[in-house]
Amino acid sequence: MQEMIKNDLRYALSPVTFSRECLNVEPDPWQAEVMMRPAKRILLNCSRQSGKSTSSSIIALHQALYYPGSLILLISPSLRQSSELFKKVQSFYKMLPDRPKLPEDNKLSMALENGSRIVSLPSSEANIRGFSAVALVIEDEASRVADDLYRAVRPMLAVSAGKIMLMSTPWGKRGHFFEEWTGPNEWERIEIPATKCPRISPVFLAEEEKALGNWWFQQEYMCKFMETTDSLFSYDTIMAAMSDDVEPLFPALGTASQVTMPGLSDDVEPLFIGEK
Ligand SMILES: Nc1ncnc2c1ncn2[C@@H]1O[C@H](COP(=O)(O)OP(=O)(O)OP(=O)(O)O)[C@@H](O)[C@H]1O
Ligand SMILES: [Mg+2]
């Protein structure tokens, strides 16, 4: 009995020990670092297949088990991805030897006897209305999660002083994941290129670069926010045009702040009707 209580305390204090001893997953160094980080705002810019979904599921399960009454929201860009992510949580839960019965257990959510709940949501703002006092939000593949949803989720952390983690492979210079990664807001930013993942070999990476080409390789494996290939203007050109400290591109039109950027504002007629 004493041994059980001692172990429970060890698991409660360390998600890494919990993962190793209860789930049989030895966290990679970066996963261990993320699991132990006390920061309330964490951004993870990760390679494909680096272990984002695995760590999200373990972090969510640990919070639910050891912080009674926690509401945890897992957000993914699509229904298929949220079901996949939730299946990982369920399969880890089933590995626990003395797992308590679940008062609620379905395809996208589970409730524990200690009052905690894990809910996995697809990316739709309408679906998240009604949740409040959220203890932990994890966005998996955040670069593809709708910006509206991100904006709707943040206030839910206010009362609970909850934690938010955005984990993603980049997807171009757009959206809230890119903006937070490059912006001034306070976040712990962690970059995990494929070269830091012990399961991805240099030989495989060399093959991938050859097969996919450098553009895709940099985005998928090396954490780079690439320019979309069909953009009319590069991101840097647009940013330069919006700063008063930079020589205007078209001096005849005045300073940058006086130049309207069709396509960037909802109040301005789009340049290409139908593409807005
Ligand atoms: N610490 C670990 N030890 C052993 N295997 C791991 C570990 N972390 C992840 N894996 C395995 O690596 C593979 C990829 O993991 P996961 O799906 O979590 O990565 P991902 O970054 O979410 O991938 P994707 O970019 O495709 O969404 C899976 O087979 C998973 O079981
Ligand atoms: Mg994943």
Side-chain angles (χ1 to χ4, degrees), residues 11-48:
Y11 301 149
L13 290 173
S14 168
V16 174
T17 311
F18 167 72
S19 173
R20 186 181 292 142
E21 294 183 17
C22 303
L23 308 177
N24 245 337
V25 177
E26 178 61 42
D28 296 342
W30 78 264
Q31 290 173 321
E33 190 191 335
V34 169
M35 286 176 188
M36 299 303 287
R37 281 267 166 127
K40 293 264 171 165
R41 309 272 176 269
I42 302 183
L43 285 176
L44 290 150
N45 178 356
C46 311
S47 158
R48 289 294 315 278

Side-chain angles (χ1 to χ4, degrees), residues 7-274:
N7 273 340
D8 249 1
L9 190 64
R10 286 171 61 239
Y11 301 149
L13 290 173
S14 168
V16 174
T17 311
F18 167 72
S19 173
R20 186 181 292 142
E21 294 183 17
C22 303
L23 308 177
N24 245 337
V25 177
E26 178 61 42
D28 296 342
W30 78 264
Q31 290 173 321
E33 190 191 335
V34 169
M35 286 176 188
M36 299 303 287
R37 281 267 166 127
K40 293 264 171 165
R41 309 272 176 269
I42 302 183
L43 285 176
L44 290 150
N45 178 356
C46 311
S47 158
R48 289 294 315 278
Q49 286 288 296
S50 52
K52 299 181 288 296
S53 303
T54 303
S55 13
S56 313
S57 324
I58 297 173
I59 292 168
L61 189 56
H62 182 269
Q63 169 88 27
L65 288 167
Y66 295 105
Y67 297 83
S70 291
L71 173 57
I72 299 136
L73 298 183
L74 300 176
I75 298 170
S76 307
S78 70
L79 184 61
R80 184 191 58 77
Q81 284 158 306
S82 29
S83 339
E84 285 303 314
L85 185 60
F86 197 65
K87 270 189 214 152
K88 273 195 206 274
V89 179
Q90 282 172 318
S91 61
F92 282 136
Y93 186 77
K94 285 185 187 137
M95 293 176 76
L96 301 176
D98 303 311
R99 57 184 178 276
K101 262 209 191 118
L102 297 174
E104 173 197 321
D105 185 19
N106 55 50
K107 277 192 179 155
L108 290 177
S109 67
M110 63 159 72
L112 274 64
E113 273 176 341
N114 69 4
S116 290
R117 253 188 109 202
I118 305 177
V119 184
S120 188
L121 292 160
S123 179
S124 153
E125 194 238 342
N127 286 332
I128 59 139
R129 299 278 162 189
F131 291 111
S132 67
V134 178
L136 172 66
V137 173
I138 302 180
E139 270 191 29
D140 196 24
E141 287 308 339
S143 62
R144 289 163 193 260
V145 166
D147 294 339
D148 280 359
L149 180 75
Y150 171 67
R151 282 191 283 267
V153 158
R154 286 193 60 115
M156 295 175 187
L157 301 162
V159 175
S160 51
K163 177 167 177 167
I164 182 164
M165 295 173 81
L166 310 186
M167 297 193 174
S168 194
T169 301
W171 192 41
K173 294 182 174 186
R174 59 171 165 244
H176 64 278
F177 182 66
F178 169 68
E179 278 155 24
E180 296 295 7
W181 184 262
T182 50
N185 291 338
E186 214 163 285
W187 290 90
E188 293 232 2
R189 295 175 175 79
I190 304 173
E191 196 172 280
I192 303 107
T195 44
K196 278 199 190 164
C197 177
R199 281 170 304 284
I200 304 180
S201 74
V203 173
F204 175 80
L205 287 177
E207 269 172 26
E208 285 293 277
E209 186 167 11
K210 227 164 147 190
L212 298 176
N214 189 256
W215 192 99
W216 276 104
F217 179 77
Q218 292 298 327
Q219 172 175 282
E220 301 292 292
Y221 292 106
M222 299 310 289
C223 311
K224 294 286 183 291
F225 291 90
M226 303 301 282
E227 209 74 65
T228 46
T229 47
D230 56 354
S231 329
L232 203 51
F233 300 108
S234 77
Y235 176 79
D236 292 336
T237 308
I238 293 171
M239 289 327 266
M242 292 179 82
S243 162
D244 281 339
D245 303 332
V246 172
E247 212 41 31
L249 282 175
F250 309 105
L253 292 176
T255 63
S257 59
Q258 293 163 317
V259 178
T260 52
M261 295 292 292
L264 285 181
S265 158
D266 285 343
D267 306 329
V268 174
E269 209 43 32
L271 267 181
F272 309 106
I273 311 285

